[in-house]
Amino acid sequence: MQVELLYHTPDPERAIATAARLCYAPVGASELMETMPPERVKSVLSTIMGSGHFSTLEHASYTFAVDGVSRALTHQLVRHRIASFNQQSQRYVKFKGEIPVVKPATVADNAETSALFDEAIECVTRAYRTLVEAGVPAEDARYLLPNAAETKIVITMNVRELLHFFELRCCNRAQWEIRNLAWKMLELARPTAPYIFADAGAPCVHGTCPEGKMTCGNPFPRVDRATLDQ
């Protein structure tokens, strides 16, 4: 899996603070953006994050390029509807040679199950190539392709949705592949807006676990946002 932060709103914390401060300021947003001192920016962000008034977080967005993940992952990913996605098309891209796949460790760690997996992928690959060579359009031959097939996708989310995504997918109970993706995205986003993303992640990082009896029993270290305001 390769994850790259392609672009984000410049100075996202200042942009968000500016949008929030505009509601109560006699001057325009452009003047606020230029003149608000850093301590005021942090004060406004503290109010936003503490009060739960997260609409202003939607004014900053992040775009990630993701390669080497499975279709199983992207089927979960696109359920996050407040986001934009562009994915490599199996309709227009004809696979030549081997079809790259993602093999779960639970399969790869056992010689017998790994061989069975490889055999199934080889069978699908051979059938796919035969269909394409017979003139079947790639958009129809792709019906054979497995969830394991590798894909590439570009993701854009605003900060509010990113925090929601991290809360759901950084959790130990999330499926392993999308959990790995979420943590990689968080590692890239956090340095760009360290205050906003300080307690991002699974719910146990900033609150209580909502899983009840299904809890993993292994919470992540708690981040106390109050200490960040000192």
Side-chain angles (χ1 to χ4, degrees), residues 46 84 203:
S46 175
S84 299

Side-chain angles (χ1 to χ4, degrees), residues 21-36:
R21 186 74 185 91
L22 178 67
C23 299
Y24 307 98
V27 298
S30 58
E31 183 175 340
L32 286 171
M33 187 75 176
E34 293 179 3
T35 62
M36 210 184 330

